[in-house]
Structure formats: C-alpha cells, structure tokens
Amino acid sequence: MTIENTALLTDQYELTMVSAALRHPMAHRPCVFEVFARRLPDGRRYGVVAGTGRILDELSRFHFGEDELAVVSRFLDDETVAWLRDYRFSGDIDGYREGELYFPGSPILTVRASFAEGVLLETLVLSILNHDSAVASAAARMVSAAAGRPIIEMGSRRTHERAAVASARSAYIAGLAATSNLEAARTYGVPSAGTAAHAFTLGFSGPQGPYEKAAFAAQIEALGIGTTLLVDTYDISQGVRNAIEVAGPDLGGVRIDSGDLGVLARQVREQLDSLGARDTKIVVSGDLDEYAIASLRAEPVDTYGVGTSLVTGSGAPTAGMIYKLVEVDGLPVAKRSSHKESKGGAKTAARLARPSGTIVEEVLYRPTDGPPSANGFSLRPLQIPLIRDGDPVADLPTLADARDHLADALISLPWEGLGLSHGDPAVPTRYVLG
Amino acid sequence: MTIENTALLTDQYELTMVSAALRHPMAHRPCVFEVFARRLPDGRRYGVVAGTGRILDELSRFHFGEDELAVVSRFLDDETVAWLRDYRFSGDIDGYREGELYFPGSPILTVRASFAEGVLLETLVLSILNHDSAVASAAARMVSAAAGRPIIEMGSRRTHERAAVASARSAYIAGLAATSNLEAARTYGVPSAGTAAHAFTLGFSGPQGPYEKAAFAAQIEALGIGTTLLVDTYDISQGVRNAIEVAGPDLGGVRIDSGDLGVLARQVREQLDSLGARDTKIVVSGDLDEYAIASLRAEPVDTYGVGTSLVTGSGAPTAGMIYKLVEVDGLPVAKRSSHKESKGGAKTAARLARPSGTIVEEVLYRPTDGPPSANGFSLRPLQIPLIRDGDPVADLPTLADARDHLADALISLPWEGLGLSHGDPAVPTRYVLG
C-alpha cells in the first residue's frame, strides 16, 4: 500500500522542456509518443510486457503539490510552476496488456496528449516498464524451464527494497507460484511463502555444539508438519535423518540451498523414500537461473526457489524500452542521426497466427489504415485502451488476467521460441506503414 | 520525502522464524549478525559501501501497525502478532561508513540484538546494501575513468522508479556531479541537472519539416544562454551551426547522444572553435560505461552523461552481500555445508597503510582482542557505531562526508587497484581470529 506522490520520479529535463515549450504553441500541439524496444536482450526470443498496471496506479498520484512545486521552482519560471500546479494528465493511452509478448519494435504503449502533457510522463513510464518487463521476461523463461514445477520468488534481498515488490508482481505475472515478499502480498495479493533460514538452525547451537533437531522441532511446533525444513546447515544426510526423526514421514518438504543440487536431490529423494517419507517434497534453491532450472529437469525436484537471477533480469536488468515522439499535429516525426533511426508516425500492431494457434509474425500498421489482410491467418490486435481523457478505462485486466494471458501467449510461440538457446526473435516484425 | 512503513519489505520467513523462536528461550538469546560479501563481482578490485544512511532511515519506519499486522496474522499465531505489535529494534549496529571501500569478507555491518530482533532486519538491510553498494561500486570506477571530468547520472528511466532515487544517491557518494532525478534532489539534496531531449527538437517540426533553430531558440529563451543544446537530432554539423547561430559563441554547451562519440567530439570541438565558441562545452551520452568513458580520455569531452550502466551496476546489479548469524550467547556459529563456509564469531576490521597512505591489507579481528600489531604500518579501524539501543548515534556522517571519504579512500588504493582491468581485490583480507 503506497500513497506517495510520484511527480518527482522524473528527470529534470522533462520539466525544462515543458518550460521551454510553454512559451510557444508547440506545447499544446497534439502529439503521439510511443514506447518500444529497438531490440530484445542479447539472444532472447521474446519479451514479456509488465508494469502497465503500475503505471496506471502511479499516474493517479502524479501531480504537483506544494512540496513538489517548491522543488521545481528552484529551476523553473513562474508560468511553468503555475501550469504544473494545475497539471493532470488528460490524454489517452493505449498499450499492450500485461502478460503480452513483445518483439523488437512492438508499440507497447501509445500516449496521445499535448506535447507538454505527454513529455512529462516519459521518465516514470519508462522506469516502470523497463524494470517490470525485464523481470517478467526473465521469469517467463524460468517458468518454461521448470516445465510445470512451481517456482517461488525469493529475490527481495538482492534488489532495491521497492523494486523487490515490483519484481514479485512481475514474477507472478510470469507464472511463478509465490513470493517471499510480504509487501507484494499486501499490495498485489501475490501468494506469499517462506519457512526458515540457516540462521534459525544455527540459533539453536549451544555450548555442546549444533542442535539441529531442536530447531526442526521448534519450526514444526510453530508451522505444523506441512512445513519445509532446511536440511543443509550442517551435514545434509544427517539433516534429512534429523528432519524425519523429528517430523515423521508426513513432513511437507525439505530444502537444499547449496552444493550440487542435482546430485543432492537424487540422494535426498532416495533417503526420504527409504525413510518412508515418499510424499515429502524437495525444494532446491541457491543461485538458480533458467539454465540451472532446465538442467535439473530430470532430477527429483519438486519446487525451485529463485532469487538473484530473477530480480536482476538474468543478465538483462533493464528492458531497453524508449519513449519516442512519433507524431506532431498528425505528421510523423523521427530522429535521423546515426543508427538510432526509428519509424515516425503513430503505429499499432496485430499478431498473425496459424489455425493451430502458433504465431507467425507481428504486423505494425497505421491505426488509421486498419489491420492489413491476414492471408488466411488469424489476426489479433494487440493494443487495448488503457486511459481515456486522463482516466483509466473500466474493467482493465487484473493481475490474474495478465498471468493467464501470458500462459496462453507462451503456448502460441513457435517451439524454437521457447528454447533457452540464443537466437533471433521468435517471430519477425513486419511494418505495413503505407 | 517518504513516509511509508517499511516492515513488510521483508521475506515471510523472517517472521515465521520469529514465530518458531518465540516459543523458546532461543528467541531472546543475544546474537551477532554480520553483513559481508564472500567475493567482489567478477574481476573487480574493490567495492564501495553505500546504503547505510538509508538503512537508518528505513529502520525508523520499521514497525508493525494494524495494517501490517493484518497481513502477517494470516500466517502467524497470536503470540507472535502481539510480539510484533510491540516490536522496535532495540539492539546495537556498527558498520563501515558510506563511501568506505570494502573487500571480500569485510564486516560491513554488525548487528547485535536478540535472535528475534536481529533476524527480522535481514531482508531490508540486504536489499538496501546490495542495491546501493552495487551502484556506488560501479559509479566509483566511472569517476576514476573520467579522470576529473564531471559525470551526470541520468539512468532513472532504466531502473525501477524508486531504485532510481537510491541510485542517484549512491552515484553522488561515488563522486558524480549531479543527477537528472528530481526526487533525489528533494530527498537527499543531490544537485540536479538536465535540459532537453530529442522529443523537444522534434516537437518543433511542421509541415515544412524540421525546424531545429526554433527549438534551440525556445530552449535558450527559457533556460538562458548557459544551457546545453542537443545537436544530434538531425545532422550534427548542421545542429552545431544552428546552435551557434541561435545562441552565439557564448553558448554553455552542446550534447551528443549517439554515434561514435570520440570522432564526433573532435569534429564538434573543431567546429565550435572555428565558430568562435571556444568555451562551449561538449557533453556526451549514450550507452557509456566505465570502459567507454576511459576510451574517451584523450578526446575533447567536457562532461559525461551515464545511464543504464550506472543504475545496473555495470554488469553487477547486486553486490552479493549476505547477512549471517555468527554468534549466539557469545559462542561462534557457522554453516558447515559445502563451499559456503564462513568464519563464525563477531569480527571487526582495520585497514593497514604505508606511511605514504597506500593501503596494504584489510585485517579482520575479534573486537574483544583489539587490533593486531601494525608492524610499522598505520592502522585505521573501519567500523563506526551507527545505532545504540535502537537509536541512531549522534553526528553520523552526512552524504557529503561519504563522498569526501570515498574520494580519499580511492587515493589510498595501490595504483593497480584503480585500473579497470579484471584482477584480484586491490588488497588481501587477513583473518587474525585467534
């Protein structure tokens, strides 16, 4: 639950641009800004949109009160300060829903507003989309690699304390089962999970040395027999023995957080089975990423815990999205300098699929033209209305909708698109821009 | 300015451990927890501590009100909920000051409290230190690479919107000159900067095409002749000509945001000089990291703008610090499982330096033993008191102190420690633990 003003989560130059624009009609000309990524992170086959819901929330708190005006009046003229005092975004926003796949060039968000109103949103919109989509994109690969086994997100300690909350949200969209983060449980209703760390077992040490069984007994006393006991503080075999001695064969689970997880999972499974604990689950954690998860597919692992790699986007901590002015007064505009050219003019997009549901390409077209011929493929427009006249539209997709949508979207990828190996985007982007 | 409760920025298992502990004397045994990094990011020579000041701030808002209790009572027993209602951290914390260098094993933070009180802080403390130190560590290398030229932090759009504020703070500790982020200016007093983006120039397009000069004139009208004009929206040479035509030779600066920055900087410098604008500065930006900054050292660049690489820790987005229980009731404890062994028992540290000031090693020792013999080297203890009986001590170092401290500390590194090439930590860590 967060009540803070968001207006200063903004680069200073957005405001100096407004100041310079306000002296001219240009400030009030109707403009179109577009968010897209020129490319996916190195070798990735698809990206996953996340953050749109948070944009709508933070936009509702994006206004300049007296505190904020005091800060910006240090470098802005009185006229601009007065304009900011009255500022409320009054434009329209369309975009890809959360949980939608995206590819290079996909118009993930389209903002229609006056220049001054639209330019102000750039920093906040990009911060949210770049962070949340980076996490969701990495997380979706982990979910694919886990092939149906649940993953718990436990990366809060490896990222900024508020980014952790957004990461848990993105991970949930991507299909992770639960998060360790309690603020994500409160704010977004993400299921939370967690039992104990090594410190708990160590805390039961005494002058006679370790006393692992006392720790296990205390945990079971508090959390019940269905809890998961962490068995690798001292010796894993002894830990498993202690766990079953204390809990009996109906123990919910054991967790292994270090060592060669594949080898250990097999040994622990055998040991649990031999002790009659055939239904006791094995949770593994410790520097897992999508590749490590995939490598454990043949091992008797029931649940994965992921941390660092998830909250840092597994090598791609930011999605590289940009916010570009593409149209002014109905006319396309575009930067022309070296190797950063982009295609001017408002665009929207549709995805073409075979009758089997497998997608074949992303087509970008002018909203004024309508979608191109589908040539026997099915065609699904990708942008939905998000904001009209400054207000969120009714019945926007929920977090659960986003999660369901992504699960379906991943099924629609060509099979090689779901692989972890490096390659080109799973489908090409085609521009039909007349 | 932030007023939010921080108690749920926490992993669920910290609370279930408290619940299980509270049924036993163990919950109230005096414990020592220690924050350290087993290693530096791959090839780095040193790390920079940042975030301590934010921990003190967020700890003051770490308490369980009715809203927070409602969330945790979903999975906790009544006794634990009652204990949390009264919870205020009442222990002691010592640690490395912000702006201090650290090396593998450095005891960056030492928390002395009962088990239950101390374990609760783990997630929040690690989130802050891992994020802020990752950014400061990368930023310090950029400052070294810039060799005295100012760097402006402009990475807000590439990271979570609140992580952006903390990143700007860390960057300031590391010696960057300013930030684009206005919330960092408000909350921490970091100097802010920023002028205009390509969208501003594009916004002055019309049916006759681009009108760059009108954009430049509008910016100068609003921000004065000392402003920095972005000259690479269309053609850079024409952009520079337009800039000086509109502003005259006293223009403050021009910014180049794309292309081969070294080549362009030389061309633009020559062109500016030939137009009589000998004092007009050149700002370069666009995917700069410490290596790109270093490669521009011989070029006529006046100021660097850095974004993505700074806020993502330039390849190391998290510092890898961990929070370990090292002592219970005065006795050392340590995990014993494979390749994650650590040295139990409370430790503190000092740094030894030659008479020239160059440091030679970091020595870790028992606080009860006092520092070891310095053998003719000077010896500086590294931990300072931060919290006593739950309250921050008086006269803690300010952000400006941290910045000054780091500037001095970097001078103390052996010369090879300041290089960008991969290698071992700049000085070894020696354990004198009796």
Side-chain angles (χ1 to χ4, degrees), chain B residues 338-363:
Chain B
S338 63
H339 73 73
K340 277 193 174 175
E341 291 192 29
S342 47
K343 299 183 193 300
K347 293 172 279 298
T348 189
R351 202 163 283 157
L352 267 57
R354 298 182 195 285
S356 64
T358 301
I359 60 175
V360 295
E361 68 176 358
E362 182 119 332
V363 183

Side-chain angles (χ1 to χ4, degrees), chain A residues 1-2 4 11-12 16 29 54 67-68 127 156 158 161-162 180 183 186 192 195 205 321, chain B residues 1-2 4 8 11-12 16 29 54 67-68 127 156 158 161-162 180 183 186 192 195 205 321:
Chain A
M1 188 167 38
T2 175
E4 288 177 345
D11 287 332
Q12 176 164 317
T16 50
R29 293 165 81 182
R54 293 212 304 119
D67 278 0
E68 291 74 34
S127 288
S156 293
R158 304 289 177 223
E161 69 278 14
R162 298 275 169 195
S180 64
E183 190 62 58
R186 162 159 73 176
S192 63
T195 54
S205 307
M321 294 182 193
Chain B
M1 187 163 39
T2 175
E4 289 177 342
L8 297 189
D11 287 332
Q12 175 165 319
T16 49
R29 291 165 82 182
R54 293 210 305 116
D67 277 1
E68 290 75 33
S127 288
S156 293
R158 304 289 177 222
E161 69 278 13
R162 298 276 168 194
S180 63
E183 190 62 58
R186 161 159 73 176
S192 64
T195 55
S205 307
M321 294 181 191

Side-chain angles (χ1 to χ4, degrees), chain A residues 391-409:
Chain A
D391 293 320
V393 303
D395 296 324
L396 283 167
T398 65
L399 204 61
D401 294 338
R403 181 177 166 95
D404 292 344
H405 188 80
L406 178 60
D408 291 342

